[in-house]
Amino acid sequence: MARKPTRSVLLIASIAIAFFIYLVLTSFEHGFLGGEVDSERLVVTNRIGDAQPLPISYYDRILALPDIAGATYMARSRATYQTPTNFLGLTAVEPGSFAAFIGDQYDIPADALARFSQIRNGAIAGRSIATQEGWVLGQKITLNTSSFFKADGSSDFEVEIVGILDGKQSADTHFVTARYDYINSERSIDRDTVSSFGVVPKNGVRPDDVIKAVDALFANSAYETRTQTEAEFMKAFIAQFADIATIVRLVVGVAFATILMIVANTMFFAIRERKKEIGVLKVLGFSRRFILCNVLAETFALFAIGLGLGLGFAFTAIMFLREPLRTIVPDLVLTPPIVLGATGLAVLLALATGVAPAFNAIRVPPNAALRER
């Protein structure tokens, strides 16, 4: 490394950039997908697609199933506040059943839930959007929706902030929940329909059994259903916008393939330049294993320094990007599994780029090496 310091610095910079790309994009993918949802909750949507409605009358029939511990219903719409580019999520819900359904993900103060049940146009705002907009309890705001339309063609709904909810374990809080009865009574299109139902199986009941029971209940009806686990629903929902995982793998793959070729080619040239030194080591009695380990150690050192710099840059970038991207990536964080994955990748790449040059070095005959000028 010290023989050609400029070359070594450029190699380390290339490796650091590749790992920076890997760490940031992988963290983005993990945060965008929301990680693994550890829940047995189920989501019931229209079999044709999530954008198609379901009759609210399905609610009582779902709740009557013997293996159901609880259920709720939701009507979702994208909304904007004040400007057309200030997006947030708006979900129309039934206060009591919805609060029970999301209880393990969000904290809703008891007094806020009580006000939500009493005030017809009441709304509970997530901490993120409330902090961003400076909303306070009792404030009335107007949200423009993309899916809820009134008879006069307007899609503006005035709601009163009656509470602020907080997420557990970095859950997304960039949304507002309003009362379904208020939204439903005001809209003229898709009245008495919902976007989805949330279902909680009883303890000891297999989710697959409940999935089959719900979908069989509405088979061959005008609105057939598709019931999924919450994790499957989130992945399918995100896949409608982009295959984030494929994009990340393609970008990371191209970056690392380029780095692999650069480092391997540079190491071959470095070994060729050192034929004389290698010959001297062999004449002095140093073993082939020592020479092999020496070359591999240099390659591992390059990747270790590059990985360390990449980690530092990625951590700094994620800290700066976390707040600006919170609306689309609620959980942007450099997690230990991502760091361990990068470390394992660094080891594999170091072996891939160092083994061939190292074996090339130990095959050089001492007399041929000493003749090198």
Side-chain angles (χ1 to χ4, degrees):
M1 291 172 62
R3 182 186 182 112
K4 299 278 187 178
T6 303
R7 182 174 63 192
S8 298
V9 168
L10 291 175
L11 273 177
I12 290 171
S14 300
I15 295 169
I17 291 170
F19 278 106
F20 169 79
I21 294 171
Y22 169 82
L23 291 163
V24 172
L25 288 183
T26 305
S27 298
F28 182 87
E29 176 196 3
H30 180 84
F32 191 78
L33 295 175
E36 292 297 324
V37 179
D38 184 18
S39 170
E40 291 189 345
R41 289 189 300 261
L42 305 176
V43 179
V44 183
T45 58
N46 193 302
R47 186 174 180 179
I48 297 174
D50 300 341
Q52 300 301 313
L54 288 172
I56 194 174
S57 59
Y58 280 13
Y59 177 66
D60 290 334
R61 297 176 65 185
I62 291 173
L63 199 58
L65 289 171
D67 292 332
I68 301 296
T72 190
Y73 49 86
M74 297 154 275
R76 295 189 179 90
S77 175
R78 189 174 67 170
T80 58
Y81 176 65
Q82 292 187 334
T83 64
T85 57
N86 189 12
F87 296 105
L88 64 140
L90 175 63
T91 305
V93 304
E94 191 284 313
S97 62
F98 183 73
F101 184 73
I102 66 168
D104 63 339
Q105 285 186 307
Y106 296 95
D107 284 322
I108 303 177
D111 57 342
L113 188 58
R115 289 193 296 269
F116 192 34
S117 300
Q118 294 166 1
I119 300 175
R120 184 170 177 271
N121 69 332
I124 294 180
R127 178 69 62 183
S128 173
I129 185 64
T131 301
Q132 175 184 301
E133 302 300 335
W135 293 339
V136 296
L137 296 183
Q139 181 176 347
K140 294 183 179 180
I141 61 172
T142 299
L143 300 177
N144 179 267
T145 69
S146 62
S147 303
F148 304 147
F149 296 96
K150 298 179 179 179
D152 61 1
S154 169
S155 59
D156 290 338
F157 288 81
E158 184 182 78
V159 296
E160 179 182 337
I161 304 298
V162 297
I164 308 293
L165 64 79
D166 291 288
K168 300 176 182 178
Q169 300 176 350
S170 303
D172 175 32
T173 57
H174 204 84
F175 63 91
V176 172
T177 58
R179 284 179 46 163
Y180 177 85
D181 55 357
Y182 165 61
I183 298 293
N184 190 55
S185 65
E186 294 288 324
R187 62 178 176 171
S188 60
I189 300 175
D190 292 331
R191 183 174 289 181
D192 297 330
T193 65
V194 297
S195 303
S196 61
F197 297 94
V199 176
V200 181
K202 288 182 178 178
N203 289 333
V205 176
R206 294 173 62 248
D208 286 346
D209 294 338
V210 177
I211 290 173
K212 292 176 183 177
V214 172
D215 290 342
L217 189 62
F218 305 109
N220 301 317
S221 68
Y223 297 90
E224 293 188 279
T225 61
R226 182 186 182 191
T227 307
Q228 304 168 279
T229 63
E230 194 173 21
E232 291 171 340
F233 170 77
M234 289 303 300
K235 289 178 180 178
F237 178 77
I238 291 168
Q240 297 176 23
F241 301 95
D243 192 342
I244 299 300
T246 300
I247 294 172
V248 169
R249 292 187 186 104
L250 284 174
V251 174
V252 170
V254 170
F256 278 113
T258 304
I259 295 303
L260 190 68
M261 291 186 288
I262 292 173
V263 176
N265 188 57
T266 304
M267 289 304 297
F268 272 114
F269 274 108
I271 296 302
R272 187 176 298 174
E273 292 172 355
R274 300 176 191 175
K275 277 188 176 181
K276 188 172 182 179
E277 288 91 334
I278 293 170
V280 171
L281 289 174
K282 288 184 175 181
V283 169
L284 292 175
F286 286 94
S287 67
R288 298 173 67 183
R289 179 180 295 179
F290 174 83
I291 297 170
L292 177 70
C293 292
N294 203 29
V295 175
L296 286 175
E298 181 175 348
T299 310
F300 273 89
L302 289 170
F303 274 92
I305 297 171
L307 174 62
L309 290 173
L311 279 169
F313 294 147
F315 181 79
T316 303
I318 288 171
M319 290 293 291
F320 279 105
L321 292 172
R322 186 175 298 166
E323 280 304 318
L325 294 179
R326 186 174 290 278
T327 58
I328 57 174
V329 189
D331 193 18
L332 183 60
V333 62
L334 191 59
T335 62
I338 294 175
V339 175
L340 288 175
T343 304
L345 192 56
V347 172
L348 290 176
L349 290 173
L351 287 172
T353 56
V355 168
F359 275 101
N360 190 45
I362 64 176
R363 287 199 301 267
V364 176
N367 57 344
L370 292 174
R371 286 198 301 269
E372 290 287 325
R373 293 182 181 274

